Amino acid sequence: MTQTQAQTPTRVATKPRKISRRTLASRVPHYVALLVTGVLFLAPVAYMIAASLAPASDTLAGFAVFDVTQWGFHNYSGVASSLSTDSTGHLWRFFAVSFTVTVAVVGLGLIVNSMAAYALSRLTWRGRGQALFVILLLLIVPFEAVAVPMFYLYNDARNTLWIQIVPFIGNALSIFIFYSFFNGIPRSIDEAARMDGANPWGIFWRIIAPMSKPAYASVAILTFLTQWGSFLWPVLMISDPNLRPLPLQISVFAGQLPPAWGQVMAFGVLLVLPVIVVFLIFQRWFIEGVASSAVKG
Amino acid sequence: MLAPQRSRPLAVTIGAGLSLALMLSACSGSPEGGDSADGTIDVWAHSGQASEAAALETLVKEFNSSQDDVTAKLTLIPEADYTSTIQATSPDELPDVMEMDAPTMAAFAYDRKLIPLEDVVSSETLDNRISGVKESGTYNDATYAVGLFDVGLGLWGNKTLLAEAGIEAPTTADEAWTVEEFRTNLAKLAEVSPSGKAIDLGEANGFAAEWGTFTTTPNIWSAGGTLMKDGKADGVLNSQENVDALEEWASWKEFADPNTSGSAFPDGQTALTWTGNWMYPTFSEALGDDLALMPLPDFGNGTKAGHGSWQWGVTPAAEGNTEAAGSFLDFLLTDESIAAMVEANAAVPGSTTALEQSELYGPGKPLELFATNLESACSSDDVSADCIAVARPVTPGYPTVTSSFGSALLAIWGGADVQGELDSAARAIDSDFSDNNGYQDE
Amino acid sequence: MASPALLLLALFVAVPFVAAIWFSLHNVRLGDPRAPSFMGITQYVRILTDPDVSRQFIDALLHNLIFAAVVVPVQTALALSLALLVKKSIPGVGIFRSLYFLPVVFPIALVAIIWRLILARGDQGLLNSALSFFSGGAFGSQDWLGSELTALASVIVLSIWQGCGFQMVILLAALQQVPAELYEAAELDRASAWQRFVHVTVPGIKPTLVFVALYTMILSLRVFDQIYVLAKSGGGLNEGATRTVMYEAVTAAFDENNIGRASAISVVFFVIVVILSVIQRRATSEKES
């Protein structure tokens, strides 16, 4: 990731100086293309925001939804009061559940999977070869292929928090990303540390892990994105409104009769807002995390 | 290389996450089956119509404050997933008391998720039920469910728009429009309806869901067909009568408003809507005297209507302390509770005394039609020309029946070949029945 | 050190996978107090050859394949175009990078709901309003999600909207790795923009392009969330024209309580994923060598 960063600034610095007027003119179509695609990409988001602010009667009345003079925050107060009892579930709890599940899966997943990858990459133990082979095999088993049998096997854990977390901690893809990354770290570094008397744990925690921040970032972001949007598993396992994560809740809320679309869209805005904030703050990590996962995959 | 300090905030976040997890599970009070010993009973109900769910929440609160021994804890589960959820929950994880849609009762009794109510609910309550509610709560000669109300399905009209098109609204079952009249009227009404569409057929509720079966079976019964006979669907579900009836139904699509907004009819956008009693409060508030209730069209065998609605049962989780569950159901089935509920959904009150006191049902009252329909009720196995309200099949295999039929309906609405869809639904149902030994229960 | 991860993978991937094979050979119903009965390969025979059951399953599989056949090339091409658009570091380009990536952080369940309103039939939806506005009313309103012809296409469009930014970022990183000297050399040779694209850009990012295509294909096979949300919560989606393999598995298990058939579908689904991955890997590695 350091390479990409290093290249970009030099280009910015040199190019405009060389051929400035010509590029300016040639940039006009470029900007037009950027803008047109930008508008197309933004339109659904703009619609969601507009519908969350517009009166209910305008949600499904074509362009009326963009009539700024009618906008207000009534849908936001509406969704807060619609979702405020134990029977319907509380608005704050849907966020708390999604947040807890996501943070736990990401955090524990980072630890557990990087440890496994380290053991596979650096330690010698019986069955290592077989374990590596099995993980490569598991890499192609998508969660969807085991969702149904899991639904049956773990039925006793319906409506619990842990069943939303534990199955997703161990992850073959994460292990593989870490494993590839660790393999790229020269072994001479471990050797030097071992000479200084460090044990495998020490080498891992103090040397390998800190050197592997890009791998941690990409695994964290990939896990975060999958987990925050997780839908299939909660559909099958969660009926208690107090343990429902956000994506499931919004589909539940949208299915209510009569549908309060303005409130649904307000809920949608609230749902993505924290992610967008996280995304804007860690934008570089996001983009590099996603990008470097590909290089390894 | 980057500084190695970064793992600390990570550890902090994980720590925070875990403690939040502990906190959540500590205070979640998830439905862990019957803790009835301490006087708390868990109650599950569906949430579909917002007003109905709100009325139920109020009733539960009233119950809790009416006495000190039992506290009911209500959980609302979305209607779309309600039946599947109960199916997926093992008997000991179920709540003590749960609501269920009438036709699913047999499946739950078969799966031992319900216990007979004869010794749970008081005999006064049981004896006071109207016959339709009695019938839809009975399976293998035992009572497994009791209901606050029964349902009415009808055709609602906007009198102003009807008059504009020069159409008079029928009021009794005998005067029901024939299907030809209905089609002609749709065309006429499309011209006067502001949306350009004459009717809302409830498409937004999803024809693949239970709504599809509930709303279209009157057509096939009225055409002389039915869903199943003697545990077999082939030759019954895909009969010529059913094919013709559903071809007719699908042909109404050009006059049907999608009603994505959920308020096409009360807003006066369409002249007609095809829906149940629960919409009456909304409609009468919006249209007042302009609202007309009509029987569904007659396909030849007399007008028909669905019957059997949401009802309540007690699960094995409550065993050992069924008294608490019983006291809750007795409370729900008092005339006062029933009156409060039917005020929200305008359903036919489920007890004879509440029905007598009703302001909506009875001679000359606005929803008289629904109550008279129920007086001549019959089962789906045996639909005669005289009977009007027909119950959906009472069989443990009902989930397959409705899911296969619903898929067929959605495809038919989308333009698929009716005969082909029904043939395939019938075979799917029969094969499921034969896998499960015909759902023979002891 | 590997044991926690290996244990978790065993419990939540390997065991369920083996269980799926066992379930698929039995009549398993959740909550049924009666023991599962053995039925051999009946479930497989049914989903593959019984005209009724298999028709739904084959339809579902076909929808997945159509989905993949459209989404893989279209989304990859679109993502590459976007990546090329935002590659040059001109002022303000960062905003557009974020903008194209934005939908990626939207859970697909929410995406489905937003688009369900945009695509609403009649003159209620934004898309129909926009089309009628810009065509001066010449373009009649469509039932995008309900019509057999456009239902799958609609799902494809909303899926591409959501997923494209992810691929764009991956390709962008690859583009930035292509040495600038190669472009400069090509410019000296007076290669046109298209020639530079074909002879410098594409070979330079080929491994990434292959990865993106493979990844998108696997995602296409797994499509479920958007179909479920649109078909179940009164979205008016034409279920028959859009059901996918996973949708079949979940409805068989959840709505019909037929765990046996659902497991058989899962197993077949897995076999297909493996076959397609192998074919695609083989094809691309042959080309490269």
Side-chain angles (χ1 to χ4, degrees):
Chain A
M1 66 179 233
T2 32
Q3 293 159 329
T4 52
Q5 273 173 315
Q7 278 180 4
T8 340
T10 42
R11 271 190 225 156
V12 181
T14 50
K15 266 209 172 159
R17 244 174 263 162
K18 265 189 204 161
I19 26 170
S20 66
R21 197 167 299 154
R22 244 178 60 204
T23 33
L24 255 179
S26 73
R27 270 181 198 167
V28 174
H30 192 159
Y31 274 114
V32 171
L34 280 172
L35 265 173
V36 170
T37 29
V39 166
L40 286 176
F41 265 78
L42 201 59
V45 184
Y47 173 77
M48 173 181 73
I49 297 171
S52 78
L53 295 164
S57 56
D58 285 351
T59 320
L60 285 163
F63 291 120
V65 74
F66 294 110
D67 180 358
V68 185
T69 56
Q70 303 291 314
W71 283 5
F73 284 95
H74 53 281
N75 286 322
Y76 289 86
S77 48
V79 71
S81 64
S82 296
L83 301 173
S84 62
T85 67
D86 279 348
S87 317
T88 56
H90 300 269
L91 188 58
W92 70 269
R93 274 196 76 110
F94 303 126
F95 281 90
V97 168
S98 269
F99 178 78
T100 312
V101 169
T102 308
V103 167
V105 171
V106 172
L108 295 172
L110 286 180
I111 298 173
V112 164
N113 294 316
S114 66
M115 272 165 54
Y118 175 73
L120 289 167
S121 159
R122 290 300 204 270
L123 308 182
T124 40
W125 39 287
R126 260 175 66 126
R128 188 183 81 146
Q130 289 91 320
L132 190 61
F133 179 71
V134 169
I135 283 168
L136 287 177
L137 273 186
L138 294 186
L139 213 51
I140 48 171
V141 185
F143 171 71
E144 283 80 358
V146 295
V148 166
M150 278 196 25
F151 164 63
Y152 186 85
L153 288 172
Y154 297 101
N155 190 258
D156 285 346
R158 280 186 72 77
N159 290 319
T160 58
L161 201 56
W162 75 264
I163 200 65
Q164 302 187 60
I165 297 173
V166 181
F168 303 98
I169 295 175
N171 183 310
L173 179 65
S174 305
I175 296 180
F176 187 71
I177 294 175
F178 281 123
Y179 175 75
S180 316
F181 197 93
F182 294 164
N183 275 352
I185 298 176
R187 271 151 209 275
S188 52
I189 295 179
D190 317 26
E191 293 299 327
R194 195 166 306 138
M195 296 299 185
D196 295 342
N199 63 6
W201 278 97
I203 297 174
F204 175 60
W205 285 117
R206 267 179 266 118
I207 297 166
I208 302 287
M211 284 177 73
S212 310
K213 281 183 75 177
Y216 279 92
S218 53
V219 170
I221 278 138
L222 287 180
T223 325
F224 171 78
L225 286 177
T226 350
Q227 211 52 48
W228 187 259
S230 162
F231 184 75
L232 166 62
W233 188 235
V235 162
L236 291 172
M237 297 303 279
I238 307 299
S239 43
D240 183 352
N242 290 307
L243 291 168
R244 223 179 261 150
L246 290 164
L248 178 57
Q249 175 58 29
I250 195 163
S251 83
V252 166
F253 197 47
Q256 209 184 45
L257 297 170
W261 291 120
Q263 292 188 18
V264 174
M265 290 296 100
F267 191 19
V269 171
L270 294 175
L271 192 163
V272 289
L273 208 60
V275 200
I276 291 179
V277 171
V278 171
F279 165 63
L280 289 178
I281 297 174
F282 296 104
Q283 201 178 129
R284 177 177 296 165
W285 288 86
F286 256 79
I287 290 185
E288 279 159 11
V290 169
S292 67
S293 70
V295 183
K296 302 297 177 298
Chain B
M1 260 312 149
L2 299 148
Q5 267 107 338
R6 213 147 156 118
S7 57
R8 182 156 303 159
L10 178 74
V12 172
T13 342
I14 295 168
L18 285 179
S19 38
L20 189 58
L22 286 172
M23 198 184 89
L24 275 174
S25 46
C27 67
S28 88
S30 59
E32 275 295 320
D35 328 312
S36 28
D38 62 358
T40 302
I41 53 166
D42 282 309
V43 177
W44 282 7
H46 83 286
S47 75
Q49 294 297 323
S51 59
E52 218 173 277
L56 184 63
E57 282 190 80
T58 315
L59 283 178
V60 170
K61 261 183 220 147
E62 279 172 14
F63 170 74
N64 288 339
S65 53
S66 72
Q67 38 74 45
D68 297 330
D69 301 331
V70 186
T71 311
K73 231 183 118 276
L74 175 69
T75 299
L76 292 171
I77 294 169
E79 183 168 352
D81 295 328
Y82 190 80
T83 300
S84 312
T85 297
I86 295 178
Q87 224 164 53
T89 308
S90 62
D92 47 319
E93 296 286 323
L94 282 173
D96 304 87
V97 176
M98 67 180 189
E99 201 185 16
M100 80 211 85
D101 200 3
T104 62
M105 179 270 289
F108 298 144
Y110 176 83
D111 283 344
R112 306 290 178 261
K113 287 179 174 169
L114 292 172
I115 59 173
L117 296 179
E118 275 82 3
D119 301 327
V120 178
V121 178
S122 76
S123 55
E124 295 86 70
T125 305
L126 290 178
D127 295 342
N128 197 15
R129 291 175 299 162
I130 61 170
S131 63
V133 170
K134 260 183 206 164
E135 195 189 298
S136 47
T138 310
Y139 169 68
N140 276 358
D141 298 326
T143 300
Y144 283 97
V146 290
L148 280 76
F149 50 82
D150 206 332
V151 72
L153 179 66
L155 188 63
W156 309 78
N158 181 321
K159 281 184 189 162
T160 309
L161 293 173
L162 287 168
E164 216 171 299
I167 296 170
E168 202 169 328
T171 51
T172 65
D174 298 336
E175 301 165 9
W177 288 332
T178 65
V179 75
E180 290 78 23
E181 286 168 338
F182 182 66
R183 203 185 310 129
T184 324
N185 291 340
L186 283 180
K188 284 189 203 162
L189 290 167
E191 283 167 25
V192 299
S193 295
S195 74
K197 304 281 180 185
I199 190 168
D200 166 25
L201 283 166
E203 161 181 3
N205 301 346
F207 289 132
E210 187 58 34
W211 167 251
T213 307
F214 180 67
T215 193
T216 58
T217 40
N219 303 349
I220 65 174
W221 290 323
S222 176
T226 191
L227 290 173
M228 295 183 76
K229 260 191 184 130
D230 306 320
K232 254 192 104 49
D234 193 30
V236 184
L237 181 66
N238 49 354
S239 67
Q240 196 55 48
E241 289 88 351
N242 288 4
V243 172
D244 293 344
L246 292 180
E247 268 172 4
E248 175 68 33
W249 170 73
S251 76
W252 301 337
K253 189 173 186 180
E254 61 170 307
F255 304 112
D257 190 286
N259 191 19
T260 318
S261 67
S263 58
F265 178 73
D267 288 350
Q269 292 291 309
T270 66
L272 298 172
T273 184
W274 178 301
T275 189
N277 52 261
W278 56 88
M279 291 309 292
Y280 174 76
T282 316
F283 293 169
S284 74
E285 195 191 351
L287 298 176
D289 288 340
D290 255 358
L291 180 66
L293 172 59
M294 302 172 265
L296 298 177
D298 178 3
F299 285 67
N301 196 28
T303 180
K304 297 285 176 275
H307 113 85
S309 187
W310 290 89
Q311 40 187 14
W312 295 86
V314 175
T315 74
E319 250 155 15
N321 189 11
T322 50
E323 237 170 85
S327 71
F328 177 67
L329 288 185
D330 280 328
F331 177 85
L332 278 189
L333 294 167
T334 56
D335 287 352
E336 293 73 40
S337 305
I338 292 178
M341 177 53 83
V342 300
E343 190 170 336
N345 67 6
V348 184
S351 79
T352 42
T353 46
L355 183 57
E356 280 158 19
Q357 296 157 19
S358 164
E359 285 171 16
L360 295 175
Y361 296 90
K365 292 178 185 161
L367 303 179
E368 183 191 358
L369 180 70
F370 287 151
T372 42
N373 284 354
L374 281 173
E375 280 163 16
S376 52
C378 59
S379 84
S380 165
D381 259 9
D382 185 24
V383 186
S384 66
D386 309 330
C387 110
I388 297 171
V390 186
R392 286 158 280 176
V394 179
T395 160
Y398 187 77
T400 308
V401 176
T402 190
S403 136
S404 307
F405 185 57
S407 294
L409 286 174
L410 193 65
I412 292 169
W413 186 251
D417 173 53
V418 180
Q419 181 79 56
E421 289 296 329
L422 291 182
D423 283 347
S424 125
R427 282 190 298 256
I429 293 168
D430 285 344
S431 107
D432 181 73
F433 271 63
S434 82
D435 286 352
N436 291 288
N437 199 20
Y439 291 100
Q440 298 296 320
D441 202 353
E442 262 99 7
Chain C
M1 266 171 104
S3 42
L6 292 177
L7 183 74
L8 288 167
L9 286 174
L11 276 177
F12 298 106
V13 187
V15 168
F17 186 68
V18 175
I21 297 173
W22 190 86
F23 292 159
S24 68
L25 303 174
H26 292 75
N27 177 32
V28 184
R29 283 165 36 96
L30 196 62
D32 191 345
R34 299 152 197 82
S37 57
F38 183 72
M39 50 194 307
I41 56 164
T42 315
Q43 302 284 19
Y44 292 97
V45 173
R46 275 194 197 148
I47 58 175
L48 296 173
T49 64
D50 179 308
D52 308 316
V53 188
S54 76
R55 197 188 50 154
Q56 279 200 4
F57 178 76
I58 304 282
D59 274 359
L61 189 57
L62 200 66
H63 296 150
N64 275 118
L65 295 179
I66 296 173
F67 193 95
V70 176
V71 171
V72 172
V74 172
Q75 188 167 333
T76 311
L78 187 61
L80 182 57
S81 328
L82 291 178
L84 288 168
L85 263 184
V86 298
K87 188 189 132 197
K88 228 183 232 169
S89 289
I90 53 176
V93 78
I95 298 172
F96 289 99
R97 263 182 219 173
S98 315
L99 217 150
Y100 302 148
F101 189 77
L102 190 64
V104 175
V105 304
F106 280 54
I108 193 84
L110 171 63
V111 171
I113 293 170
I114 299 173
W115 281 81
R116 172 219 186 293
L117 294 176
I118 294 177
L119 299 173
R121 105 179 158 91
D123 53 1
Q124 302 174 330
L126 190 63
L127 182 62
N128 279 337
S129 302
L131 287 175
S132 125
F133 178 80
F134 288 117
S135 69
F139 198 91
S141 60
Q142 302 289 309
D143 182 4
W144 299 104
L145 293 168
S147 152
E148 212 161 326
L149 292 172
T150 51
L152 189 58
S154 303
V155 174
I156 287 177
V157 168
L158 69 90
S159 308
I160 290 182
W161 177 76
Q162 196 264 349
C164 199
F166 194 84
Q167 273 87 332
M168 172 198 79
V169 165
I170 295 176
L171 290 169
L172 178 63
L175 285 175
Q176 286 170 334
Q177 307 272 355
V178 180
E181 301 83 61
L182 288 182
Y183 286 105
E184 279 156 25
E187 234 162 302
L188 285 179
D189 289 347
R190 295 172 185 271
S192 68
W194 175 249
Q195 284 169 322
R196 269 176 283 155
F197 175 73
V198 173
H199 297 293
V200 181
T201 312
V202 172
I205 59 169
K206 199 171 165 206
T208 315
L209 269 180
V210 169
F211 167 81
V212 165
L214 187 75
Y215 176 83
T216 316
M217 193 197 70
I218 304 279
L219 281 186
S220 306
L221 294 174
R222 296 164 59 177
V223 169
F224 167 79
D225 297 4
Q226 53 273 57
I227 310 284
Y228 191 84
V229 170
L230 289 169
K232 293 278 169 178
S233 318
L237 181 70
N238 187 324
E239 194 191 31
T242 53
R243 59 161 51 93
T244 61
V245 173
M246 272 319 294
Y247 183 81
E248 277 300 285
V250 169
T251 45
F254 201 43
D255 294 349
E256 293 175 35
N257 197 5
N258 196 334
I259 304 287
R261 182 193 301 163
S263 297
I265 294 175
S266 302
V267 172
V268 175
F269 164 74
F270 172 71
V271 171
I272 290 164
V273 169
V274 171
I275 293 175
L276 286 180
S277 315
V278 169
I279 292 178
Q280 196 162 352
R281 277 219 179 136
R282 188 124 331 140
T284 48
S285 66
E286 257 167 36
K287 254 188 232 156
E288 266 167 61
S289 64

